[in-house]
Amino acid sequence: MQRNFPQLSELRPLLQFERPSLDFRANRLAKAADLWDLRRIARRRTPKPAFDYVDGGAGNEETLRRNRQAFSEVEFLPGILGGHPTVDLSTTIAGARSALPVGIAPTGFTRFMNSEGEEAGVGAAVDTGIPYTLSTMGTRSIEEVAAFQPAARRWFQLYLWNDHEASLDLVNRAAAAGYDTLMVTVDTAIAGQRLRDVRNGMTIPPKLNLKTVLDASYRPEWWFNFLTTDSLKFASLSGTSHSLPELINSMFDPTLSLQDLRWLRSVWPGQLFVKGVLTAEDARKALESGADGLVVSNHGGRQLDRAPASLQALREVRDAVGPDIELILDSGIMSGGDIAAALCAGADFTLIGRAYMYGLMAGGRAGVQRALDILAEELRVVTTLLGVSSVAELGPQHARMHWRGPQARPIARP
């Protein structure tokens, strides 16, 4: 074999060395190719009780696995020779435009996962042009989030308290602070059995013992931020150190009924979505009680174990409510392809909880932005290869979902 030694002039264009950067956060986030990479970074950098609170589900976590399995069963049908140079990823939801068909879901105890908490989430959301949902169990108040990002499109998620006057106060404060959509969660009559939290002795705030001290030695940045920033505050929950199930079971109203939903509709001036719907019957009841839209959700597999996967329940709900009611799909999304699959299955919009929290734990606001950028790029690639010019065109003709028909395969435990 004849060999020719390369000339220096030929090698010079190949020798492109990047200048080393001391921005360690940016360096590690840049290496994340997908959300699962962000999850791995988050796991290394976050104490086990905080990481497991985000990562875990109820019971044996069957619903948690089924959510992911349902998405993995979707088969996309490529579209060729369509002639669309770009894809419009924007959509309209709850009366306003969103740059992507995904918003940030309500998450509780957010600053426990990373000290930047709600500020990171709403900041990345406004920069991306998508809605941000503040949880009743958030670690920043309604007013604090509004003041931090007055330009953000803000939704407020409500757990109906035993004290309905306190609930009314929250609703009125949200309306006064410019939140345009109320999301009423209806699947938390009591707390799900989140066994990881039980095994970890998860409390708010965390108890400092030998186990947590040892854990801190591996995550010094997290503990430094936690101990040197203002303490976690949860309105009426401030100063408590109970387990999470105790907090939920003492605070929320297990007798939440359609009458309560009608009452909330009468006092809330904006859009009202009911979160936690998985059946046609419950969908019809919610709409009859005044809901403008529904969130098809199993609470990320964190409430009733062995509940239907949200993606699988979506078709039944869509068939029941017709094409004009806005449906949001929540639970299980970990890629832009998952967002596309939800839209093909009948959703108008999606929400991410764990997906953005992995980014938060991996790198604060920059990590949340990295998660959203990854999702946007993945969605752009999938929709381009499906041959559509906008996400509004996505429908059942673009995907096969093998679990829909009478020969549906059973969900296998991975």
Side-chain angles (χ1 to χ4, degrees), residues 84-101:
H84 302 301
T86 60
V87 179
D88 181 4
L89 300 181
S90 67
T91 190
T92 299
I93 187 69
R97 204 73 178 160
S98 175
L100 297 171

Side-chain angles (χ1 to χ4, degrees), residues 209-399:
N209 52 34
L210 179 60
K211 185 176 180 180
T212 54
V213 170
L214 289 174
D215 189 73
S217 66
Y218 297 98
R219 287 99 175 180
E221 182 182 356
W222 185 96
W223 282 99
F224 176 78
N225 290 333
F226 179 78
L227 295 173
T228 58
T229 54
D230 56 308
S231 60
L232 299 180
K233 296 180 177 65
F234 310 101
S236 64
L237 303 182
S238 181
T240 66
S241 59
H242 298 90
S243 70
L244 295 180
E246 288 174 330
L247 292 176
I248 293 173
N249 292 338
S250 64
M251 175 181 174
F252 302 148
D253 187 354
T255 67
L256 177 64
S257 67
L258 295 174
Q259 181 177 353
D260 296 310
L261 190 57
R262 286 190 286 269
W263 169 69
L264 286 171
R265 172 70 284 177
S266 72
V267 299
W268 174 254
Q271 293 274 308
L272 188 150
F273 278 64
V274 173
K275 180 175 180 288
V277 174
L278 292 171
T279 67
E281 180 182 1
D282 285 343
R284 286 189 288 264
K285 288 179 180 178
L287 294 176
E288 290 168 0
S289 300
D292 297 299
L294 307 172
V295 183
V296 180
S297 169
N298 57 36
H299 215 104
R302 297 163 62 79
Q303 279 298 103
L304 178 62
D305 200 19
R306 292 185 283 185
S310 296
L311 186 65
Q312 292 177 323
L314 180 60
R315 176 49 54 190
E316 177 184 338
V317 175
R318 173 57 76 193
D319 289 344
V321 304
D324 298 328
I325 298 298
E326 290 186 326
L327 297 183
I328 299 175
L329 189 285
D330 167 83
S331 303
I333 289 173
M334 280 293 288
S335 72
D338 295 339
I339 295 171
L343 300 180
C344 290
D348 297 294
F349 198 72
T350 62
L351 292 173
I352 53 169
R354 286 187 182 89
Y356 102 86
M357 290 286 274
Y358 292 140
L360 177 67
M361 291 185 287
R365 177 170 175 170
V368 179
Q369 190 63 61
R370 179 62 180 149
L372 294 174
D373 290 344
I374 288 171
L375 289 173
E377 178 59 17
E378 290 173 336
L379 181 61
R380 185 190 67 80
V381 170
V382 170
T383 50
T384 300
L385 293 175
L386 287 175
V388 299
S389 62
S390 72
V391 292
E393 296 176 22
L394 292 176
Q397 70 274 21
H398 296 110

Side-chain angles (χ1 to χ4, degrees), residues 131-178:
Y132 173 83
T133 314
L134 177 65
S135 171
T136 295
M137 305 292 283
T139 48
R140 291 299 185 197
S141 73
I142 292 168
E143 293 79 10
E144 285 174 325
V145 170
F148 182 74
Q149 285 292 348
R153 187 178 181 199
R154 300 178 305 278
W155 298 351
F156 181 66
Q157 177 269 335
L158 178 72
Y159 292 114
L160 191 66
W161 295 15
N162 283 310
D163 183 350
H164 284 204
E165 287 301 314
S167 295
L168 179 59
D169 179 62
L170 285 175
V171 168
N172 289 337
R173 287 167 56 194

